[in-house]
Amino acid sequence: MEAMWLQKRETCASIRFARMIVSMETGPHQQQSMELTGSSYDGSHKNGRMEGEGKYTFPTGTVYQGQMKDGMFHGEGVLYFPDGSKYEGTWAKGLSSEGKYTFSDGLEYDEDEWDFCDGYDRRFYTERCNGLKPAGKSQLTNRVPPEEIPAGCYDCGDGFYNPATRVVSDYELKFLRYADDDEHAWIVRTCRKSWEELPKSTSNSSANAQ
């Protein structure tokens, strides 16, 4: 679950940065905007820091709703992602100590007992719920119908990836994140792309024929 891990890592980095720039205004409940990050916070404060119950909105549209302490996620809280998925977790100083990720279609991710699209069963979750397509028709993604991929890009599960710019955008082409080397390699190796390539054996046969 590379995409889910990257979302959690991006969230932790963003909240730590936001902690450094939060204004020093005090009050029991305030609504404020962080101009440098484009984030916003609506909730309680203590000594000028986010503390208590609050709602923190990232510029990507991801929303954290839950407990805060000393300017960080701390306690029980839920991350709601723009695609409809969510991560319910227990947080300590901005990092998740344990939690549960639920996809937008209601499927819960279980790291120990995950058996979707593995070597034994290649069906998507929606295929298990709704049945397989008729003979001769293939389901390419868990989404039906699949998203149309922009030219030169990949469908990486939570949006489109442009390898030329290293940018991952959501399905409405809004910026999500920059991909690091590990995510880039994973997407290029495993994800559906907008163009078709001839199998190597076919290419080699054509070259030998010439």
Side-chain angles (χ1 to χ4, degrees):
M1 285 282 88
E2 188 84 9
M4 183 180 72
W5 174 77
L6 286 163
Q7 285 175 322
K8 288 161 62 179
R9 186 184 67 175
E10 174 195 17
T11 298
C12 294
S14 298
I15 193 65
R16 286 198 296 269
F17 182 57
R19 177 190 175 192
M20 295 188 295
I21 65 168
V22 64
S23 67
M24 294 304 295
E25 297 177 357
T26 59
H29 184 96
Q30 296 177 351
Q31 188 170 11
Q32 65 185 52
S33 177
M34 288 81 165
E35 293 183 358
L36 290 179
T37 63
S39 304
S40 63
Y41 174 70
D42 184 9
S44 302
H45 288 74
K46 182 178 179 180
N47 298 325
R49 296 186 184 277
M50 298 176 286
E51 186 150 336
E53 291 289 331
K55 177 182 177 181
Y56 189 96
T57 304
F58 291 91
T60 59
T62 297
V63 174
Y64 171 83
Q65 183 82 47
Q67 298 172 330
M68 312 281 290
K69 185 176 181 180
D70 196 25
M72 295 180 286
F73 300 169
H74 192 90
E76 302 296 322
V78 183
L79 280 171
Y80 297 96
F81 297 103
D83 66 355
S85 61
K86 64 180 179 179
Y87 179 80
E88 303 167 86
T90 300
W91 306 80
K93 297 182 178 180
L95 299 176
S96 173
S97 56
E98 60 179 352
K100 177 180 68 176
Y101 183 86
T102 305
F103 293 88
S104 57
D105 56 14
L107 175 64
E108 294 182 1
Y109 175 67
D110 188 329
E111 186 172 0
D112 296 327
E113 300 184 7
W114 185 256
D115 62 351
F116 289 91
C117 292
D118 58 14
Y120 300 97
D121 189 341
R122 302 294 295 175
R123 290 179 298 167
F124 293 104
Y125 179 61
T126 50
E127 287 181 306
R128 292 193 182 186
C129 293
N130 305 321
L132 296 173
K133 297 288 185 183
K137 294 185 178 181
S138 300
Q139 183 168 326
L140 300 177
T141 71
N142 192 54
R143 293 170 175 263
V144 181
E147 298 287 344
E148 183 176 347
I149 308 174
C153 295
Y154 293 80
D155 181 350
C156 57
D158 60 344
F160 301 122
Y161 174 62
N162 186 333
T165 61
R166 292 290 187 99
V167 169
V168 177
S169 57
D170 65 17
Y171 290 119
E172 295 180 354
L173 302 182
K174 296 178 181 178
F175 176 85
L176 286 180
R177 63 183 178 275
Y178 288 105
D180 61 14
D181 291 341
D182 289 339
E183 186 179 20
H184 170 83
W186 177 81
I187 292 174
V188 170
R189 184 178 68 253
T190 63
C191 292
R192 192 169 63 99
K193 53 184 177 286
S194 63
W195 65 94
E196 295 183 359
E197 294 179 347
L198 290 174
K200 290 185 179 180
S201 57
T202 303
S203 300
N204 293 336
S205 298
S206 299
N208 294 333
Q210 293 176 356

